[in-house]
Amino acid sequence: MTALVNADEKTYWRSLGELAATPEFTEFLHREFPVAASEFPQSMSRRRWLQLMGASLAMAGISGCWQKETLAPFAARPENRIPGVPQRFATSLEMSGYARPVIVTAYDGRPIKIEGHVDHPASMGGTDSFTQAALLHLYDPDRSRDPQQYEGSEWFTRTWDDFVEYSKGVMTSARATGGKGVRVIAEHSSSPSRLRLAQQFAKLLPEAKWYEHESVSRVNERQGGKLAFGQNVRPIYDLSKADVILALDSDLFDFHPNAVSLIRKWSERRVPEAGPMNRVYAVESQFSTLGVAADHRLPIRSCDIAHFLATLQESITAQASAEKAPVIDHSHEEATTKFIRVLASDLIAHRGKSVIVAGPSQSPEVIAAIYRLNAQLGNLGETVTFLAEPESTAVDTIDPLATLAEEMERGDVETLIVLGGNPAYESASFATAMAKVKHRVRLGAYVDETSQASNWHLPRAHQMEVWGDGYSYDGILTIRQPLIDPIFSSRSDEQLLALLNTDEQPSTEAITRATLESMLATAGLEDNWRTLVHDGFLSDKGLTKVTPTVVATAGTVAVPQASAGLEVVFCPSNSTYDGRFANNGWLQETPAPLTKMTWQNAAIIAPATSKELKINTGDVVRVTVRGKNLDLPAYVLPGQAKNSIGLALGYGRTAAGHVGGDTAKNIAPVGANVSTLRARSTTTIDRDVKLVTTGKHVTLAITQDHHAIDKVGLSEIAGRIGELVREGTEKQFADHPDFAQHVVHHPPLESLWEERSAEGHAWGMSIDLSRCIGCNACMVACQSENNVPIVGPEQVSKGREMHWIRVDRYFAGDIDSPQVVTQPVTCQHCENAPCEQVCPVAATVHSPEGLNDMAYNRCVGTRYCANNCPYKVRRFNFLDFTSHLSKANEELSRLIINPEVTVRSRGVMEKCTFCVQRIQTVKIQAKNEQRPIVDGAIQTACQQACPAGAIQFGDLMDKQSQVSKAHANPRAYAMLAELNVKPRTKYLARIRNPHPELSDGHSTDHGDAHGHTS
């Protein structure tokens, strides 16, 4: 096999191994299961395997043997509940200080699925992978269950009454001194109830100090707003109005608190049939999700963003001030200079309809300059508006952990109260300083690193167990209501504060209602409460809109001196975020969008850096930052900026649990803790960096070459194989809307047998590649909905991940600055399904409505179907993930199982079912009500979760349905249609909107003007 490079045609490749056609890639391509498997991984101890299987790994795979159960009826059936009929509740989940509105489905009093809130502007029905996976923590066996006190040299289980007695003595002493030695450090929160109780706490203890900290901090963004406007403001970006978007090291689509809404508004401007498309420029050190979606991307070091911005400012000023554009010869213009000149002219041409945004990694000075530039371009009040940040009791400091650690070291702190977070994991100096504090009280969901450094650990309630309130990022008052009574003896932040303030223990409902009574009008108070609980939010109760003016001191950025050398960029992880999701098996096993790496973090480096330092993927390197060393594997990522090293936070947990690592139980940490290299807890970019190899090599659990479609092998069967992903420009689409359908030419396709015809309904799906950003929300949603198990890093490295949907990521072009396109691939539900033709026991069959169904109890595991599937979307369940569960864990883990989906046992094939359980539910409802099925009433889990609205599902027999219209779209094409399998899923070709001066002429073309290829 030769390298898949053709100089005359745009070539797509999923990895450097595929580009070079390495033996490892070839093996994965031509063998369904590359490594002969033993039941237990050879490189993992049986003890560790049992631990992993027995924790959250098993939560999505409970089956076990039949056992006798006793069924007891309700003595009094709860109001509005019918056994076996799901209920849905509007609530919210707070993360990093902002409420995320959701709808949660509950069966018989147990929540089993999280969806976006379709009526809330911050969700619009979409979610992200973190929100989808939050449910797993509710039923995590590693959650803390009872208060614990550390005395002498060991922990003792206590009750809340014990802590009440303890806290009375501590608070009595604190009140006598006005709280002089009392410190509180808490996660950020938008809750009015917590703010009210914190203000009450401050009145009782006026000398006490309250700190707020997030390890993924947006402090630079807030400080930049202060520099620009002289006040605390929150920027709101309206991408629906933006014709041109410039993102500088942006996290708009990744970790921004309003990412779901931003993605939806952006994607609505990426549909060429709906009107003019927006244009996205991304300038960044490592690929962001917005960078993947960008029409033009420039990879540069994060520390060079300030220089780029200053040069852009100069270009905008020069072009805007010229009465007549001078005639300049640009034929020998350097690429970056041309990029800046064209970008400046594009921004000027779209005054008031553009937006420039930087991520929180950039300095406050850079962010202030960006606000000033937005004002210069007329964007303020149009695409960029502002809300006033709510008041806070917190001490205003850039690095709360360092400030508090210094106070503890000096002996100024007698009582420390930690509400959530995990500061001892982030900062070793903080953990050391805690030992000098007499009273150390920690409220947390797990007995983690910070709890281990405390002398009182209190279980923190899951957000689905308690009442609460908060503001979404866009400033809307949002409610949180419990879906289930607290499973363990746990309390919320508000309950602990109320206890400390008054020595009483009110319910979370009483606390929330008391707060809202002071906010809502007295007249109709009960009606407002009922509306809030039913709808989940009150749109007319929110943060105040402000119109700030740029202050004179917010000038342009001085051009820094250019310098060479390495930089390191600390960023949140797509799997663990800042470490809070380290014990979440769903997220640990979800492949990172760009690297496709699971169960690990690595030093991300550019191909050019790799070549200079002679480092390959999997080589263990030593990263030295300001004299601190850390060894971790390297990963060579196309498109990474030269001399920039990306390090993901949230790994290397020593007290996360059975999945994320727990050294006290001899469970090795997953990944490496890069927080140890940060100069301070808010550091995101550092220049004092060295990188050397250690001579060691490890195998990473990377999925990028797994389940690759054999284009070479298929071409021997079907003639010239077509591109799996198809792209075009807006101009190409305007000239030839059906270009995607002409990429592959084949003779008329005739079947060897009589084809089936649909009866009643013909279910189908469409996926718009123009809108897909590869965010993985669909993967986690599918896992949650369909009881899909995880398999662990050893099995993933063997190509045995069980996900029913995968998101293929293809690079194209120069490996130093490639374009990227993503493509979700699931079972295509072919009309002439190759899997059905070879199954010897009819375990996979065709339904009258066109679904490719699975009868699991018939399957004997021959795997013929997987071998015969050209899309490689079938998964074989090698192991029984349930036989090692303890009785206690099994009972808890059963609660997360979706009762409408069959749980599979070892030795059967699994695959996407188009969420057939959802289809049947709506069909039964429509039949009972004697009405037709309304288009949109049936939504698959992946469709419902997608924040971009890229997926449509429905009845192809209904010509007015959204999916029928999508299939009739000129951009629509069927992947591998030349095989005559007639898939029920069609893709809409991706359309880019490049600037004419920056288009390379062939970057998105497959052939001639008609899209034809020879």
Side-chain angles (χ1 to χ4, degrees):
M1 180 177 178
T2 58
L4 302 175
V5 177
N6 187 335
D8 299 325
E9 184 179 318
K10 187 175 183 182
T11 303
Y12 294 93
W13 35 281
R14 300 210 296 184
S15 67
L16 294 174
E18 180 178 3
L19 187 65
T22 62
E24 293 80 7
F25 171 77
T26 305
E27 181 182 17
F28 260 115
L29 187 66
H30 292 296
R31 296 184 61 183
E32 182 186 357
F33 305 105
V35 182
S38 59
E39 179 171 352
F40 290 96
Q42 297 174 352
S43 62
M44 183 185 298
S45 70
R46 181 181 179 89
R47 178 183 179 85
R48 173 61 176 143
W49 175 254
L50 300 184
Q51 290 168 336
L52 196 58
M53 293 298 109
S56 63
L57 176 80
M59 291 188 181
I62 301 294
S63 61
C65 300
W66 178 89
Q67 53 186 282
K68 182 178 179 180
E69 295 182 352
T70 302
L71 299 178
F74 284 120
R77 192 177 76 189
E79 185 179 1
N80 298 324
R81 180 186 296 179
I82 300 175
V85 176
Q87 293 177 294
R88 292 173 176 83
F89 299 89
T91 184
S92 64
L93 301 172
E94 189 172 60
M95 180 171 166
S96 296
Y98 303 97
R100 299 183 174 207
V102 295
I103 302 292
V104 179
T105 300
Y107 268 89
D108 296 331
R110 57 185 178 92
I112 64 162
K113 187 68 174 66
I114 297 174
E115 306 292 357
H117 195 318
V118 69
D119 295 323
H120 199 296
S123 171
M124 305 172 73
T127 54
D128 60 12
S129 57
F130 294 124
T131 304
Q132 286 289 332
L135 185 67
L136 197 58
H137 288 281
L138 177 63
Y139 304 110
D140 190 346
D142 286 320
R143 274 181 64 197
S144 177
R145 306 189 179 206
D146 296 289
Q148 297 183 47
Q149 184 181 18
Y150 190 78
E151 286 187 334
S153 59
E154 60 181 311
W155 286 94
F156 295 92
T157 300
R158 303 300 190 200
T159 66
W160 276 94
D161 289 338
D162 295 330
F163 176 74
V164 170
E165 291 302 314
Y166 174 86
S167 67
K168 284 180 180 179
V170 172
M171 292 303 293
T172 299
S173 300
R175 287 170 188 149
T177 63
K180 185 177 180 180
V182 176
R183 300 292 184 270
V184 179
I185 183 163
E187 294 177 312
H188 284 306
S189 175
S190 63
S191 168
S193 290
R194 201 187 83 168
L195 176 62
R196 175 176 65 84
L197 293 168
Q199 291 171 336
Q200 183 180 350
F201 185 86
K203 288 181 180 179
L204 290 171
L205 307 175
E207 297 297 320
K209 292 183 181 179
W210 180 291
Y211 293 96
E212 290 188 1
H213 170 72
E214 288 286 340
S215 54
V216 179
S217 173
R218 308 196 78 84
V219 64
N220 286 354
E221 194 174 74
R222 292 192 293 273
Q223 294 293 327
K226 275 189 175 181
L227 287 176
F229 306 113
Q231 59 180 305
N232 278 327
V233 293
R234 179 182 301 177
I236 303 295
Y237 303 106
D238 189 349
L239 300 189
S240 66
K241 296 180 180 179
D243 293 339
V244 176
I245 301 168
L246 170 59
L248 305 174
D249 252 3
S250 167
D251 69 341
L252 275 187
F253 289 2
D254 296 286
F255 308 107
H256 193 280
N258 205 32
V260 172
S261 177
L262 290 167
I263 292 168
R264 179 60 61 89
K265 291 182 178 180
W266 165 86
S267 70
E268 290 173 350
R269 292 290 307 276
R270 299 301 291 186
V271 181
E273 301 87 359
M277 297 175 63
N278 57 30
R279 181 176 295 130
V280 179
Y281 298 84
V283 181
E284 56 193 10
S285 60
Q286 52 190 318
F287 263 113
S288 66
T289 305
L290 187 56
V292 169
D295 300 292
H296 299 290
R297 180 178 180 272
L298 180 66
I300 65 173
R301 295 181 307 173
S302 293
C303 63
D304 293 331
I305 294 289
H307 184 276
F308 174 91
L309 180 61
T311 309
L312 176 64
Q313 285 178 326
E314 293 176 354
S315 182
I316 289 175
T317 302
Q319 293 188 48
S321 61
E323 293 183 1
K324 183 178 180 180
V327 178
I328 302 176
D329 181 11
H330 297 296
S331 58
H332 300 290
E333 196 172 24
E334 190 262 342
T336 302
T337 304
K338 180 180 180 181
F339 184 97
I340 294 174
R341 175 182 59 80
V342 172
L343 171 58
S345 66
D346 212 3
L347 290 169
I348 293 171
H350 294 87
R351 291 178 180 274
K353 294 184 178 180
S354 62
V355 62
I356 305 173
V357 60
S361 63
Q362 290 300 308
S363 69
E365 292 75 16
V366 168
I367 293 173
I370 286 174
Y371 285 137
R372 185 177 185 87
L373 193 52
N374 273 307
Q376 181 181 339
L377 292 168
N379 297 330
L380 299 190
E382 299 294 334
T383 58
V384 186
T385 56
F386 296 93
L387 298 174
E389 285 284 3
E391 58 182 313
S392 172
T393 58
V395 176
D396 189 6
T397 176
I398 291 181
D399 191 356
L401 291 194
T403 303
L404 182 52
E406 290 173 3
E407 292 181 333
M408 292 189 293
E409 281 288 346
R410 291 196 303 264
D412 295 343
V413 183
E414 182 176 354
T415 301
L416 176 67
I417 301 167
V418 184
L419 302 179
N422 195 356
Y425 158 72
E426 296 179 52
S427 171
S429 61
F430 188 95
T432 302
M434 282 183 69
K436 298 187 176 183
V437 179
K438 182 178 180 180
H439 304 291
R440 308 181 301 276
V441 178
R442 167 66 185 318
L443 180 71
Y446 297 85
V447 182
D448 56 18
E449 293 85 347
T450 301
S451 289
Q452 290 178 349
S454 305
N455 50 21
W456 269 94
H457 165 80
L458 306 174
R460 191 187 199 188
H462 191 278
Q463 295 184 74
M464 290 189 193
E465 297 175 326
V466 291
W467 288 90
D469 48 29
Y471 290 102
S472 57
Y473 184 84
D474 55 0
I476 296 177
L477 179 63
T478 306
I479 196 71
R480 179 168 67 247
Q481 61 176 308
L483 276 294
I484 190 173
D485 283 337
I487 298 175
F488 306 122
S489 181
S490 55
R491 301 288 190 272
S492 69
D493 293 20
E494 291 79 10
Q495 285 177 299
L496 177 58
L497 285 173
L499 171 61
L500 296 176
N501 289 341
T502 65
D503 295 334
E504 297 178 357
Q505 301 184 57
S507 69
T508 53
E509 181 179 7
I511 293 172
T512 306
R513 287 187 67 114
T515 302
L516 294 176
E517 284 175 4
S518 65
M519 299 173 60
L520 305 177
T522 303
L525 178 62
E526 192 62 30
D527 290 341
N528 276 333
W529 169 258
R530 288 180 175 274
T531 300
L532 184 58
V533 172
H534 178 271
D535 296 347
F537 65 99
L538 287 177
S539 56
D540 59 341
K541 298 293 180 183
L543 301 182
T544 306
K545 295 181 180 179
V546 294
T547 308
T549 303
V550 178
V551 299
T553 55
T556 58
V557 175
V559 179
Q561 195 70 27
S563 61
L566 294 172
E567 72 167 8
V568 63
V569 179
F570 300 96
C571 57
S573 163
N574 293 100
S575 297
T576 64
Y577 191 61
D578 60 356
R580 69 186 67 189
F581 294 105
N583 210 49
N584 192 304
W586 289 351
L587 291 174
Q588 286 276 20
E589 194 155 295
T590 300
L594 266 297
T595 65
K596 298 301 175 185
M597 185 164 51
T598 67
W599 295 96
Q600 180 71 56
N601 61 339
I604 309 299
I605 61 175
T609 307
S610 164
K611 186 176 180 180
E612 285 184 3
L613 300 179
K614 296 181 174 55
I615 297 173
N616 297 312
T617 295
D619 290 347
V620 178
V621 296
R622 178 161 298 156
V623 181
T624 303
V625 182
R626 300 186 181 275
K628 300 177 181 177
N629 299 324
L630 183 69
D631 291 355
L632 72 169
Y635 185 104
V636 182
L637 179 66
Q640 178 79 2
K642 183 180 178 181
N643 291 334
S644 182
I645 306 169
L647 297 178
L649 300 167
Y651 291 86
R653 293 283 309 279
T654 59
H658 284 82
V659 172
D662 191 338
T663 54
K665 299 176 181 177
N666 296 319
I667 302 173
V670 174
N673 183 7
V674 303
S675 295
T676 59
L677 300 177
R678 302 171 85 179
R680 59 185 188 184
S681 62
T682 54
T683 298
T684 53
I685 304 170
D686 208 316
R687 295 292 313 284
D688 187 356
V689 185
K690 295 180 182 178
L691 182 69
V692 297
T693 59
T694 63
K696 300 177 182 178
H697 187 89
V698 296
T699 299
L700 301 177
I702 302 172
T703 67
Q704 63 183 8
D705 289 333
H706 299 176
H707 315 298
I709 296 174
D710 186 357
K711 294 187 285 187
V712 175
L714 286 172
S715 65
E716 299 170 358
I717 303 171
R720 188 193 181 284
I721 200 69
E723 294 291 354
L724 306 178
V725 292
R726 302 179 189 178
E727 295 184 272
T729 64
E730 189 178 30
K731 182 180 184 304
Q732 183 180 1
F733 175 75
D735 293 341
H736 302 281
D738 61 346
F739 76 93
Q741 300 176 13
H742 297 285
V743 168
V744 178
H745 284 250
H746 50 74
L749 301 175
E750 298 292 340
S751 298
L752 298 177
W753 50 82
E754 183 178 349
E755 296 186 8
R756 306 176 182 89
S757 59
E759 298 177 11
H761 302 287
W763 307 113
M765 178 176 284
S766 69
I767 302 176
D768 192 341
L769 299 183
S770 271
R771 303 179 74 155
C772 176
I773 59 173
C775 67
N776 286 336
C778 55
M779 291 186 68
V780 183
C782 175
Q783 190 154 23
S784 176
E785 171 74 19
N786 293 297
N787 304 331
V788 177
I790 63 173
V791 301
E794 181 73 17
Q795 296 298 301
V796 170
S797 65
K798 294 180 178 181
R800 293 179 171 177
E801 59 271 17
M802 295 296 297
H803 295 122
W804 286 7
I805 183 172
R806 71 175 188 269
V807 182
D808 287 341
R809 177 267 296 122
Y810 293 93
F811 295 107
D814 182 8
I815 64 171
D816 292 316
S817 184
Q819 284 187 335
V820 176
V821 61
T822 56
Q823 182 181 44
V825 182
T826 182
C827 177
Q828 307 286 295
H829 290 268
C830 309
E831 294 285 5
N832 297 332
C835 54
E836 297 173 8
Q837 301 163 16
V838 296
C839 181
V841 292
T844 177
V845 294
H846 217 72
S847 78
E849 296 178 350
L851 296 179
N852 180 243
D853 288 339
M854 281 295 302
Y856 296 116
N857 59 337
R858 291 183 191 169
C859 181
V860 294
T862 64
R863 291 173 280 170
Y864 296 161
C865 57
N867 190 56
N868 216 38
C869 174
Y871 303 100
K872 301 306 172 190
V873 291
R874 289 177 165 262
R875 305 288 176 261
F876 182 67
N877 196 328
F878 274 94
L879 299 172
D880 182 356
F881 304 123
T882 65
S883 61
H884 317 301
L885 287 174
S886 69
K887 181 66 176 177
N889 285 353
E890 182 178 355
E891 290 178 352
L892 178 62
S893 301
R894 282 183 184 277
L895 297 178
I896 201 172
I897 296 301
N898 184 350
E900 293 190 338
V901 179
T902 301
V903 178
R904 290 76 58 192
S905 58
R906 179 185 181 187
V908 303
M909 296 300 303
E910 301 186 17
K911 68 163 194 73
C912 161
T913 64
F914 269 171
C915 287
V916 64
Q917 69 279 2
R918 295 189 173 201
I919 296 174
Q920 294 302 322
T921 296
V922 174
K923 283 175 61 180
I924 292 170
Q925 283 181 332
K927 182 179 180 181
N928 290 342
E929 296 171 9
Q930 298 182 349
R931 58 170 176 80
I933 296 174
V934 179
D935 184 42
I938 301 173
Q939 289 188 315
T940 60
C942 56
Q943 173 192 11
Q944 192 167 16
C946 180
I951 303 174
Q952 295 292 339
F953 179 81
D955 188 358
L956 294 173
M957 301 290 281
D958 178 4
K959 298 307 177 185
Q960 298 304 311
S961 66
Q962 292 299 314
V963 70
S964 291
K965 293 177 180 178
H967 276 223
N969 190 306
R971 286 193 290 135
Y973 71 95
M975 185 165 57
L976 302 182
E978 55 271 42
L979 299 182
N980 197 33
V981 295
K982 296 188 175 181
R984 281 281 181 88
T985 299
K986 283 192 176 182
Y987 294 90
L988 274 62
R990 182 173 188 144
I991 305 299
R992 296 186 187 267
N993 184 23
H995 193 285
E997 288 193 59
L998 293 180
S999 176
D1000 59 12
H1002 67 274
S1003 63
T1004 53
D1005 292 341
H1006 291 279
D1008 61 23
H1010 296 278
H1012 297 168
T1013 53
S1014 59

